[in-house]
Amino acid sequence: MIVTRFAPSPNGPLHLGHAYSAVVAHDLAREAGGRFLLRIEDIDGARSRPELVDDFRRDLEWLGLEWEEVAAQSARLGSYEVAARRLMADGLLYRCTCTRAEIQALEPRMGPEGLVYPGTCKHKHVDLSRPSALRLDMDAALARTGELFWEDETAGCIAADPRELGDVVLVRKDAPAGYHLAATLDDAADGVTLVTRGADLFFASHIHRVLQELLGLPVPMWHHHALMLEGDGRKLAKSRQSGERGSGWGLTAMREAGEDGRALAERLRIGQMPCGITLSRFPHGSS
Ligand code: GLU
Ligand code: ZN
């Protein structure tokens, strides 16, 4: 049975790009007689706006979608801790106290997701009185997993190549997990068989494949869908306030203005984007 999910973070209102993402995930499940899940990714306590979650549900309903809601990330913190402890015991994580400014000052190389951490804390005794994150020792991880592959419905069979992203953070300084660890564990716990998300997260899948192997989790298929771009070629993004009232692309604002959500979903299905929006398989600009 195909199980897909839509996994929004309540750190800003949903925009048209989310509508597209939700419709794609919903339809892939429905067409196969499978299940479509909603998971609220609220691991980021400081940036979470719990009042948005009800709007998310209303927005999806307005689009004419039906879903099963599974536990939010804030209700699963224990599972992240257990997994982090296991990776720690396996010698695959190390503490890092570096601040963003300290990392930037080292002028590290740029990877597909921004600056790549240069491994400063890897062989260092860190000052435990400073807040620390836990990073994955990617060389050690890959030495353990050997060569891995993952399957994307549109891009085909991909050799996992997470080295370009460096030693990513698995447990943040300010949260009980980071995105990569939480999302990988949740998808496994929720029985997701087809991970659908925007092409901007394509690179994350390399890391998730490695984590699945290290933690003995089932391996799903992936489907990275095209991104919605504005006329300037940049993708719609919460960090650019694309979902806020007045942006023109916010779902809650459209819904409250009386627009027809089901008709919008139909147009997205046939690839008819609103004026000023294009779809692209590749991300451009910053998120
Ligand atoms: N929570 C992520 C976001 O809102 C999506 C993660 C995913 O689909 O894997 O961007
Ligand atoms: Zn460090």
Side-chain angles (χ1 to χ4, degrees):
M1 154 123 48
I2 298 256
V3 182
T4 67
R5 88 299 195 274
F6 176 57
S9 302
N11 54 14
L14 300 183
H15 53 65
L16 200 59
H18 293 109
Y20 184 68
S21 201
V23 167
V24 167
H26 170 274
D27 290 4
L28 284 169
R30 285 288 171 271
E31 282 157 14
R35 298 165 61 209
F36 169 60
L37 312 180
L38 169 66
R39 181 174 71 233
I40 303 299
E41 299 213 319
D42 57 353
I43 190 112
D44 193 341
R47 288 170 69 214
S48 248
R49 291 159 56 186
E51 73 279 7
L52 290 175
V53 174
D54 261 335
D55 279 330
F56 287 7
R57 297 187 189 110
R58 282 190 208 109
D59 293 344
L60 294 182
E61 217 171 84
W62 172 73
L63 290 166
L65 308 184
E66 281 174 35
W67 66 90
E68 290 168 58
E69 186 163 345
V70 293
Q73 290 188 327
S74 54
R76 308 184 191 216
L77 305 185
S79 72
Y80 309 147
E81 240 177 82
V82 170
R85 239 184 273 132
R86 173 167 165 190
L87 295 173
M88 193 73 173
D90 286 345
L92 299 172
L93 303 183
Y94 63 87
R95 286 195 184 278
C96 168
T97 55
C98 299
T99 61
R100 188 178 283 270
E102 283 169 343
I103 296 171
Q104 265 160 358
L106 297 167
E107 298 182 11
R109 70 181 167 90
M110 284 298 280
E113 305 259 84
L115 298 181
V116 176
Y117 180 66
T120 325
C121 294
K122 186 165 161 179
H123 298 296
K124 208 172 78 177
H125 276 290
V126 302
D127 174 1
L128 287 176
S129 66
R130 287 179 68 186
S132 59
L134 292 175
R135 289 184 179 275
L136 181 64
D137 180 339
M138 196 58 87
D139 286 335
L142 294 178
R144 171 144 335 181
T145 62
E147 202 178 11
L148 297 175
F149 295 89
W150 54 280
E151 183 91 23
D152 180 276
E153 277 193 342
T154 35
C157 180
I158 316 269
D161 185 14
R163 274 206 173 85
E164 272 198 83
L165 296 144
D167 293 350
V168 292
V169 168
L170 292 194
V171 179
R172 291 165 39 159
K173 280 181 192 169
D174 57 350
Y179 160 67
H180 298 300
L181 183 62
T184 303
L185 289 167
D186 294 347
D187 283 335
D190 295 337
V192 172
T193 63
L194 180 60
V195 174
T196 56
R197 58 181 166 226
D200 52 336
L201 285 168
F202 190 85
F203 279 96
S205 302
H206 290 292
I207 296 166
H208 300 183
R209 180 67 190 88
V210 171
L211 291 177
Q212 285 151 6
E213 202 68 15
L214 294 174
L215 292 165
L217 303 173
V219 182
M221 292 262 293
W222 279 264
H223 179 108
H224 290 92
H225 61 73
L227 295 178
M228 264 188 207
L229 307 182
E230 286 195 57
D232 61 5
R234 294 200 297 170
K235 67 177 184 169
L236 297 183
K238 282 182 185 155
S239 55
R240 295 174 61 215
Q241 270 80 51
S242 298
E244 303 291 342
R245 277 160 222 280
S247 72
W249 312 122
L251 300 188
T252 301
M254 289 187 221
R255 172 166 58 77
E256 289 176 353
E259 286 189 40
D260 184 340
R262 285 170 190 264
L264 172 67
E266 276 315 312
R267 286 199 300 275
L268 297 178
R269 284 188 174 104
I270 57 171
Q272 208 179 75
M273 298 298 134
C275 187
I277 295 282
T278 53
L279 269 186
S280 164
R281 287 229 57 83
F282 302 103
H284 295 276
S286 72
S287 60

